[in-house]
Amino acid sequence: MRAEITASIMCADLLNLEKDIKALEKAGVDYFHYDIMDGHFVPNMTLGLETICEIQKRVNVRSDFHLLVNNPEEIIPLLDAGENDLVSFHYQATEDIEKCIELIHELGAKAGIVLDVKDSYELLEPYIEKIEFVNLMMITPGFAGQPLVDGMIEKIMETRKWLDSHKKNNIKIMVDGNVNYERARLMHKLGGDILVAGSSSLFKGDMTFEESLKTFAEYTQHKALY
Ligand code: DX5
Ligand code: ZN
């Protein structure tokens, strides 16, 4: 199965957002990836809940919330997320990971833990019975267009192997940061199921959204060959 593609909305044309979101919906993207930042957990602020709510009213595309905020438990209950949607929060951002997972499940959504580049996948061990996905950061989070951190592609494979060895092949791996087409091929082969498409691909401006998604589909035919 091809990789699913989640469009990083912070990388869209923010002053022509309606045009972009409608075009992405028409092109058939799988999810909209909403990076929500608080200026503290990461030194940036991007999409707010009001803007996201307006987007959700205008298109019928599944939501993928990536919370880059301290104490995500305070914001999770405010999200408009349901059974087809994804919500992930950073391992390092909360004292109460169990609570965050519970709150996401109360919304009916799928829960994911985000691992920063320095976080080992073994940190997931106490939570693997409860989560539906893991979001692996390939970059230092906060800004689009940053370089890939060394060793992150290998981390996708190691995380996949480790999850499979715990009989958790149902837990999906999301890959966030610096996903370009060539790299997507490898990221998917090594175990990445959902790829965040940002300024390195979908919003680069060298292809239409349709062409970009078609290229991703062509490049991500084969899976899990570690
Ligand atoms: C960064 C965000 C990403 C980002 C990835 O913190 O989580 O969604 O937009 O896109 P690139 O790296 O391709 O700009
Ligand atoms: Zn993100």
Side-chain angles (χ1 to χ4, degrees), residues 4-163:
E4 290 194 295
I5 302 299
T6 181
S8 179
I9 298 301
M10 70 179 272
C11 301
D13 181 354
L14 296 180
L15 296 184
N16 288 290
L17 198 47
E18 186 162 19
K19 185 172 140 275
D20 270 9
I21 59 170
K22 292 254 160 89
L24 284 162
E25 179 184 41
K26 189 157 175 274
V29 75
D30 298 296
Y31 292 94
F32 279 178
H33 182 85
Y34 300 115
D35 288 297
I36 301 181
M37 306 185 184
D38 63 358
H40 294 283
F41 184 73
V42 287
N44 194 7
M45 294 172 93
T46 48
L47 306 161
L49 293 183
E50 303 290 331
T51 307
I52 294 169
C53 197
E54 291 303 317
I55 297 172
Q56 289 177 311
K57 272 190 226 161
R58 283 168 173 77
V59 292
N60 187 17
V61 177
R62 291 178 285 170
S63 298
D64 157 27
F65 292 95
H66 174 189
L67 306 178
L68 302 101
V69 302
N70 283 322
N71 306 318
E73 56 273 22
E74 291 171 11
I75 202 172
I76 293 165
L78 307 177
L79 303 176
D80 186 357
E83 64 172 332
N84 296 317
D85 302 320
L86 310 174
V87 181
S88 62
F89 61 90
H90 282 250
Y91 180 88
Q92 305 290 354
T94 177
E95 302 277 293
D96 200 343
I97 290 182
E98 303 256 351
K99 176 83 187 160
C100 290
I101 297 170
E102 260 173 52
L103 288 169
I104 295 168
H105 287 159
E106 274 172 30
L107 296 172
K110 297 185 175 65
I113 294 178
V114 190
L115 295 181
D116 277 329
V117 291
K118 292 199 181 87
D119 298 334
S120 160
Y121 49 81
E122 287 169 337
L123 295 172
L124 300 170
E125 179 128 34
Y127 312 106
I128 52 172
E129 296 303 327
K130 301 188 171 104
I131 56 173
E132 283 77 33
F133 70 105
V134 182
N135 180 356
L136 295 181
M137 294 306 307
M138 299 287 108
I139 57 168
T140 305
F143 296 89
Q146 295 191 85
L148 185 84
V149 172
D150 281 351
M152 289 303 106
I153 305 264
E154 294 79 355
K155 188 176 177 182
I156 300 172
M157 178 179 73
E158 288 155 11
T159 306
R160 183 75 273 159
K161 273 189 182 173
W162 182 83
L163 287 169

Side-chain angles (χ1 to χ4, degrees), residues 180-191:
N180 64 28
Y181 305 108
E182 243 343 292
R183 219 170 259 141
R185 195 197 290 274
L186 193 56
M187 287 167 161
H188 184 60
K189 238 181 204 178
L190 298 178

